[in-house]
mmCIF file of all heavy atoms in Angstrom:
data_model
loop_
_atom_site.group_PDB
_atom_site.id
_atom_site.type_symbol
_atom_site.label_atom_id
_atom_site.label_comp_id
_atom_site.label_asym_id
_atom_site.label_seq_id
_atom_site.Cartn_x
_atom_site.Cartn_y
_atom_site.Cartn_z
ATOM 1 N N SER T 210 9.055 -160.958 94.832
ATOM 2 C CA SER T 210 8.841 -161.623 96.111
ATOM 3 C C SER T 210 8.561 -160.567 97.172
ATOM 4 O O SER T 210 8.758 -159.366 96.930
ATOM 5 C CB SER T 210 10.056 -162.469 96.501
ATOM 6 O OG SER T 210 11.205 -161.656 96.640
ATOM 7 N N GLY T 211 8.090 -161.029 98.332
ATOM 8 C CA GLY T 211 7.883 -160.120 99.452
ATOM 9 C C GLY T 211 6.440 -159.734 99.708
ATOM 10 O O GLY T 211 6.152 -159.016 100.677
ATOM 11 N N GLY T 212 5.535 -160.172 98.858
ATOM 12 C CA GLY T 212 4.132 -159.865 99.087
ATOM 13 C C GLY T 212 3.569 -160.651 100.258
ATOM 14 O O GLY T 212 4.232 -161.530 100.821
ATOM 15 N N GLY T 213 2.337 -160.308 100.629
ATOM 16 C CA GLY T 213 1.692 -161.024 101.723
ATOM 17 C C GLY T 213 0.532 -160.240 102.281
ATOM 18 O O GLY T 213 0.059 -159.280 101.675
ATOM 19 N N LEU T 214 0.089 -160.680 103.456
ATOM 20 C CA LEU T 214 -1.025 -160.039 104.156
ATOM 21 C C LEU T 214 -0.461 -159.142 105.253
ATOM 22 O O LEU T 214 0.389 -159.579 106.045
ATOM 23 C CB LEU T 214 -1.933 -161.105 104.755
ATOM 24 C CG LEU T 214 -3.063 -160.628 105.675
ATOM 25 C CD1 LEU T 214 -4.056 -159.781 104.887
ATOM 26 C CD2 LEU T 214 -3.755 -161.829 106.323
ATOM 27 N N VAL T 215 -0.934 -157.903 105.291
ATOM 28 C CA VAL T 215 -0.461 -156.953 106.287
ATOM 29 C C VAL T 215 -1.644 -156.113 106.757
ATOM 30 O O VAL T 215 -2.592 -155.876 105.989
ATOM 31 C CB VAL T 215 0.668 -156.071 105.715
ATOM 32 C CG1 VAL T 215 0.185 -155.229 104.562
ATOM 33 C CG2 VAL T 215 1.312 -155.219 106.790
ATOM 34 N N GLN T 216 -1.593 -155.667 107.996
ATOM 35 C CA GLN T 216 -2.658 -154.821 108.527
ATOM 36 C C GLN T 216 -2.505 -153.386 108.042
ATOM 37 O O GLN T 216 -1.388 -152.950 107.711
ATOM 38 C CB GLN T 216 -2.627 -154.848 110.051
ATOM 39 C CG GLN T 216 -3.008 -156.186 110.655
ATOM 40 C CD GLN T 216 -3.136 -156.123 112.166
ATOM 41 O OE1 GLN T 216 -2.623 -155.231 112.813
ATOM 42 N NE2 GLN T 216 -3.844 -157.099 112.731
ATOM 43 N N PRO T 217 -3.600 -152.652 107.982
ATOM 44 C CA PRO T 217 -3.497 -151.224 107.631
ATOM 45 C C PRO T 217 -2.494 -150.511 108.531
ATOM 46 O O PRO T 217 -2.453 -150.744 109.740
ATOM 47 C CB PRO T 217 -4.920 -150.710 107.859
ATOM 48 C CG PRO T 217 -5.782 -151.905 107.642
ATOM 49 C CD PRO T 217 -5.000 -153.075 108.182
ATOM 50 N N GLY T 218 -1.673 -149.648 107.909
ATOM 51 C CA GLY T 218 -0.623 -148.959 108.635
ATOM 52 C C GLY T 218 0.688 -149.690 108.657
ATOM 53 O O GLY T 218 1.710 -149.120 109.076
ATOM 54 N N GLY T 219 0.687 -150.931 108.224
ATOM 55 C CA GLY T 219 1.897 -151.739 108.228
ATOM 56 C C GLY T 219 2.795 -151.478 107.023
ATOM 57 O O GLY T 219 2.522 -150.601 106.199
ATOM 58 N N SER T 220 3.872 -152.264 106.956
ATOM 59 C CA SER T 220 4.873 -152.098 105.907
ATOM 60 C C SER T 220 5.208 -153.444 105.264
ATOM 61 O O SER T 220 5.094 -154.499 105.900
ATOM 62 C CB SER T 220 6.156 -151.499 106.491
ATOM 63 O OG SER T 220 5.947 -150.219 107.025
ATOM 64 N N LEU T 221 5.623 -153.362 104.018
ATOM 65 C CA LEU T 221 6.157 -154.511 103.287
ATOM 66 C C LEU T 221 7.263 -154.008 102.378
ATOM 67 O O LEU T 221 7.233 -152.856 101.931
ATOM 68 C CB LEU T 221 5.091 -155.190 102.429
ATOM 69 C CG LEU T 221 4.072 -156.107 103.080
ATOM 70 C CD1 LEU T 221 3.047 -156.558 102.042
ATOM 71 C CD2 LEU T 221 4.734 -157.316 103.727
ATOM 72 N N ARG T 222 8.211 -154.890 102.076
ATOM 73 C CA ARG T 222 9.209 -154.571 101.064
ATOM 74 C C ARG T 222 9.173 -155.635 99.979
ATOM 75 O O ARG T 222 9.394 -156.821 100.258
ATOM 76 C CB ARG T 222 10.620 -154.485 101.644
ATOM 77 C CG ARG T 222 11.613 -153.959 100.605
ATOM 78 C CD ARG T 222 13.001 -153.733 101.162
ATOM 79 N NE ARG T 222 13.794 -154.948 101.165
ATOM 80 C CZ ARG T 222 15.133 -154.972 101.071
ATOM 81 N NH1 ARG T 222 15.801 -153.836 100.945
ATOM 82 N NH2 ARG T 222 15.784 -156.122 101.121
ATOM 83 N N LEU T 223 8.877 -155.191 98.771
ATOM 84 C CA LEU T 223 8.883 -156.082 97.625
ATOM 85 C C LEU T 223 10.258 -156.070 96.972
ATOM 86 O O LEU T 223 10.930 -155.041 96.942
ATOM 87 C CB LEU T 223 7.832 -155.661 96.605
ATOM 88 C CG LEU T 223 6.401 -155.509 97.106
ATOM 89 C CD1 LEU T 223 5.478 -155.160 95.933
ATOM 90 C CD2 LEU T 223 5.921 -156.763 97.808
ATOM 91 N N SER T 224 10.635 -157.224 96.436
ATOM 92 C CA SER T 224 11.886 -157.342 95.690
ATOM 93 C C SER T 224 11.582 -157.911 94.312
ATOM 94 O O SER T 224 10.632 -158.680 94.144
ATOM 95 C CB SER T 224 12.862 -158.275 96.409
ATOM 96 O OG SER T 224 13.181 -157.808 97.699
ATOM 97 N N CYS T 225 12.402 -157.541 93.357
ATOM 98 C CA CYS T 225 12.284 -158.086 92.001
ATOM 99 C C CYS T 225 13.696 -158.373 91.506
ATOM 100 O O CYS T 225 14.469 -157.441 91.250
ATOM 101 C CB CYS T 225 11.578 -157.110 91.087
ATOM 102 S SG CYS T 225 11.586 -157.598 89.342
ATOM 103 N N ALA T 226 14.015 -159.648 91.392
ATOM 104 C CA ALA T 226 15.338 -160.070 90.930
ATOM 105 C C ALA T 226 15.299 -160.331 89.433
ATOM 106 O O ALA T 226 14.453 -161.101 88.953
ATOM 107 C CB ALA T 226 15.776 -161.324 91.674
ATOM 108 N N ALA T 227 16.198 -159.697 88.715
ATOM 109 C CA ALA T 227 16.239 -159.809 87.262
ATOM 110 C C ALA T 227 17.418 -160.663 86.818
ATOM 111 O O ALA T 227 18.480 -160.656 87.446
ATOM 112 C CB ALA T 227 16.349 -158.428 86.630
ATOM 113 N N SER T 228 17.212 -161.382 85.734
ATOM 114 C CA SER T 228 18.288 -162.140 85.104
ATOM 115 C C SER T 228 18.062 -162.146 83.601
ATOM 116 O O SER T 228 16.937 -161.977 83.130
ATOM 117 C CB SER T 228 18.346 -163.572 85.648
ATOM 118 O OG SER T 228 17.136 -164.257 85.407
ATOM 119 N N GLY T 229 19.161 -162.319 82.862
ATOM 120 C CA GLY T 229 19.051 -162.383 81.405
ATOM 121 C C GLY T 229 19.012 -161.038 80.718
ATOM 122 O O GLY T 229 18.808 -160.971 79.504
ATOM 123 N N ILE T 230 19.193 -159.954 81.481
ATOM 124 C CA ILE T 230 19.233 -158.611 80.901
ATOM 125 C C ILE T 230 20.418 -157.851 81.493
ATOM 126 O O ILE T 230 20.935 -158.216 82.542
ATOM 127 C CB ILE T 230 17.945 -157.797 81.163
ATOM 128 C CG1 ILE T 230 17.702 -157.611 82.670
ATOM 129 C CG2 ILE T 230 16.752 -158.441 80.492
ATOM 130 C CD1 ILE T 230 16.587 -156.641 83.000
ATOM 131 N N SER T 231 20.807 -156.781 80.799
ATOM 132 C CA SER T 231 21.805 -155.876 81.342
ATOM 133 C C SER T 231 21.086 -154.936 82.299
ATOM 134 O O SER T 231 20.620 -153.851 81.919
ATOM 135 C CB SER T 231 22.467 -155.088 80.208
ATOM 136 O OG SER T 231 23.383 -154.161 80.735
ATOM 137 N N PHE T 232 20.969 -155.372 83.552
ATOM 138 C CA PHE T 232 20.090 -154.707 84.507
ATOM 139 C C PHE T 232 20.433 -153.225 84.669
ATOM 140 O O PHE T 232 19.537 -152.387 84.693
ATOM 141 C CB PHE T 232 20.193 -155.416 85.860
ATOM 142 C CG PHE T 232 19.325 -154.825 86.930
ATOM 143 C CD1 PHE T 232 17.973 -155.157 87.004
ATOM 144 C CD2 PHE T 232 19.836 -153.936 87.868
ATOM 145 C CE1 PHE T 232 17.153 -154.620 87.989
ATOM 146 C CE2 PHE T 232 19.038 -153.390 88.852
ATOM 147 C CZ PHE T 232 17.682 -153.734 88.912
ATOM 148 N N SER T 233 21.701 -152.899 84.753
ATOM 149 C CA SER T 233 22.101 -151.526 85.075
ATOM 150 C C SER T 233 21.710 -150.521 83.999
ATOM 151 O O SER T 233 21.681 -149.313 84.262
ATOM 152 C CB SER T 233 23.608 -151.469 85.324
ATOM 153 O OG SER T 233 24.314 -151.815 84.145
ATOM 154 N N THR T 234 21.416 -150.987 82.808
ATOM 155 C CA THR T 234 21.064 -150.067 81.720
ATOM 156 C C THR T 234 19.558 -149.935 81.523
ATOM 157 O O THR T 234 19.117 -149.169 80.665
ATOM 158 C CB THR T 234 21.693 -150.523 80.396
ATOM 159 O OG1 THR T 234 21.113 -151.781 80.015
ATOM 160 C CG2 THR T 234 23.203 -150.654 80.514
ATOM 161 N N HIS T 235 18.787 -150.686 82.306
ATOM 162 C CA HIS T 235 17.334 -150.684 82.137
ATOM 163 C C HIS T 235 16.642 -149.777 83.145
ATOM 164 O O HIS T 235 17.001 -149.766 84.327
ATOM 165 C CB HIS T 235 16.762 -152.101 82.299
ATOM 166 C CG HIS T 235 16.843 -152.916 81.058
ATOM 167 N ND1 HIS T 235 18.013 -153.464 80.603
ATOM 168 C CD2 HIS T 235 15.880 -153.280 80.164
ATOM 169 C CE1 HIS T 235 17.782 -154.128 79.491
ATOM 170 N NE2 HIS T 235 16.499 -154.029 79.201
ATOM 171 N N ASN T 236 15.652 -149.042 82.670
ATOM 172 C CA ASN T 236 14.720 -148.379 83.570
ATOM 173 C C ASN T 236 13.786 -149.449 84.134
ATOM 174 O O ASN T 236 13.336 -150.338 83.403
ATOM 175 C CB ASN T 236 13.908 -147.325 82.827
ATOM 176 C CG ASN T 236 14.786 -146.202 82.296
ATOM 177 O OD1 ASN T 236 15.847 -145.921 82.817
ATOM 178 N ND2 ASN T 236 14.324 -145.573 81.220
ATOM 179 N N MET T 237 13.504 -149.344 85.426
ATOM 180 C CA MET T 237 12.665 -150.329 86.102
ATOM 181 C C MET T 237 11.419 -149.658 86.670
ATOM 182 O O MET T 237 11.417 -148.442 86.926
ATOM 183 C CB MET T 237 13.440 -151.005 87.237
ATOM 184 C CG MET T 237 14.733 -151.673 86.815
ATOM 185 S SD MET T 237 14.468 -153.055 85.691
ATOM 186 C CE MET T 237 13.587 -154.205 86.771
ATOM 187 N N ALA T 238 10.387 -150.448 86.863
ATOM 188 C CA ALA T 238 9.138 -149.881 87.377
ATOM 189 C C ALA T 238 8.340 -150.943 88.131
ATOM 190 O O ALA T 238 8.528 -152.144 87.921
ATOM 191 C CB ALA T 238 8.302 -149.310 86.234
ATOM 192 N N TRP T 239 7.469 -150.472 88.980
ATOM 193 C CA TRP T 239 6.468 -151.301 89.647
ATOM 194 C C TRP T 239 5.085 -150.839 89.189
ATOM 195 O O TRP T 239 4.799 -149.629 89.190
ATOM 196 C CB TRP T 239 6.563 -151.184 91.160
ATOM 197 C CG TRP T 239 7.750 -151.868 91.744
ATOM 198 C CD1 TRP T 239 8.967 -151.325 92.046
ATOM 199 C CD2 TRP T 239 7.832 -153.245 92.116
ATOM 200 N NE1 TRP T 239 9.802 -152.264 92.575
ATOM 201 C CE2 TRP T 239 9.129 -153.461 92.638
ATOM 202 C CE3 TRP T 239 6.949 -154.332 92.078
ATOM 203 C CZ2 TRP T 239 9.550 -154.702 93.103
ATOM 204 C CZ3 TRP T 239 7.370 -155.566 92.533
ATOM 205 C CH2 TRP T 239 8.655 -155.747 93.038
ATOM 206 N N TYR T 240 4.258 -151.804 88.815
ATOM 207 C CA TYR T 240 2.852 -151.587 88.515
ATOM 208 C C TYR T 240 2.036 -152.404 89.517
ATOM 209 O O TYR T 240 2.548 -153.308 90.174
ATOM 210 C CB TYR T 240 2.506 -152.073 87.102
ATOM 211 C CG TYR T 240 2.992 -151.201 85.973
ATOM 212 C CD1 TYR T 240 4.327 -151.199 85.586
ATOM 213 C CD2 TYR T 240 2.105 -150.390 85.268
ATOM 214 C CE1 TYR T 240 4.764 -150.406 84.535
ATOM 215 C CE2 TYR T 240 2.525 -149.601 84.211
ATOM 216 C CZ TYR T 240 3.864 -149.615 83.846
ATOM 217 O OH TYR T 240 4.297 -148.836 82.802
#
């Protein structure tokens, strides 16, 4: 979540909520 339209120079924060896994033991990534 957190995507959208932003002007050049602006900021956004994306979030990714996980369930069904042992989150703390997983390496995470954004593509």
Side-chain angles (χ1 to χ4, degrees):
S210 61
L214 173 64
V215 63
Q216 292 187 340
S220 298
L221 282 175
R222 188 175 84 152
L223 306 183
S224 300
C225 172
S228 60
I230 60 171
S231 177
F232 180 82
S233 64
T234 65
H235 277 75
N236 296 334
M237 304 296 294
W239 287 95
Y240 286 76

